[in-house]
Amino acid sequence: VGLNVPGAGLVVDTHVHRVSRRLGWAPTGPGTSPETTRIALEQWVEADRRVDFTLALITLGQTVCGAISPKCSVCPVRGSCPSAANP
């Protein structure tokens, strides 16, 4: 996938995969993979927004929604996140 390429798909790295599953946007459990996450997200993320969407989730996953210690208290989407830690 290249930036500014018409029809670019979603890039699902470890951050996009983790954040999407935590937010309930992608399936979880046995047999899930970055590919199943990509397919789920491409069902509703418009093609012209996919690059920005991917970059936003990567940033969120790198800075706030970490694998070991997510910073739910400062997360901008905490109110919509079913995985957010209870106060």
Side-chain angles (χ1 to χ4, degrees):
V1 167
L3 298 177
N4 297 319
V5 175
L10 282 162
V11 175
V12 178
D13 72 347
T14 188
H15 308 292
V16 173
H17 188 53
R18 177 179 60 251
V19 172
S20 296
R21 289 180 298 142
R22 283 187 178 161
L23 288 168
W25 296 345
T28 59
T32 61
S33 67
E35 181 65 8
T36 58
T37 296
R38 182 192 64 79
I39 292 167
L41 294 175
E42 285 185 348
Q43 299 286 321
W44 59 272
V45 178
E46 297 174 17
D48 64 338
R49 297 180 181 259
R50 290 179 181 167
V51 172
D52 290 338
F53 180 85
T54 297
L55 295 175
L57 285 191
I58 290 171
T59 301
L60 183 66
Q62 290 175 334
T63 60
V64 177
C65 195
I68 297 172
S69 298
K71 302 172 187 167
C72 297
S73 64
V74 298
C75 182
V77 295
R78 181 177 186 213
S80 300
C81 182
S83 301
N86 294 322

